[in-house]
Amino acid sequence: MHIANSLLAALPRTEYQRLLVGLEPVKLTFGEVLYEPGEPIRHTYFPNDYLVSLLAVVEGRTVLEVGLVGSEGMVGIPLALGIGVSPVRALVQKTGTAMRTKSARFLHEFR
């Protein structure tokens, strides 16, 4: 079985199978905002074939790109650090697909 996201592919098979129960495939479009700074992180995303820019808003208006996530990673990493609110804007830079899970499900499996 081919797993497009490298982070998911690196999981031991039993861990992946357990996580798979809570994952749903989604299509995301260019320009879609997944999170805004200060908003709750409701889902985690494992990109298959798209990119997400992580943007910091400085002084209320200037936007700086502080990260880029593709098929090697996950959008929603602050949850793993115990932070349930997004510190950045997560902006889809290329239309594509992902596997998505609700934050509560991710936290349950992460623990």
Side-chain angles (χ1 to χ4, degrees):
M1 167 189 349
H2 174 72
I3 302 169
N5 179 276
S6 298
L7 188 59
L8 292 176
L11 292 173
R13 185 168 175 79
T14 56
E15 299 292 322
Y16 175 72
Q17 292 294 330
R18 195 171 70 231
L19 188 59
L20 188 59
V21 173
L23 290 172
E24 65 176 327
V26 293
K27 182 176 181 182
L28 301 171
T29 57
F30 173 77
E32 187 173 346
V33 176
L34 303 179
Y35 315 132
E36 286 286 357
E39 289 183 356
I41 299 173
R42 291 185 167 79
H43 294 92
T44 58
Y45 297 84
F46 297 89
N48 293 327
D49 57 0
Y50 72 95
L51 299 171
V52 174
S53 286
L54 303 178
L55 306 167
V57 179
V58 180
E59 296 176 3
R61 61 172 204 243
T62 304
V63 177
L64 299 173
E65 186 171 46
V66 295
L68 186 65
V69 181
S71 64
E72 79 294 337
M74 171 188 140
V75 179
I77 286 288
L79 285 173
L81 302 173
I83 302 167
V85 176
S86 181
V88 296
R89 176 180 299 145
L91 177 69
V92 177
Q93 293 290 4
K94 178 184 175 228
T95 297
T97 61
M99 298 301 283
R100 175 176 81 177
T101 187
K102 291 183 179 182
S103 296
R105 174 73 182 190
F106 171 80
L107 287 170
H108 174 76
E109 292 300 330
F110 185 73
R111 289 185 187 118

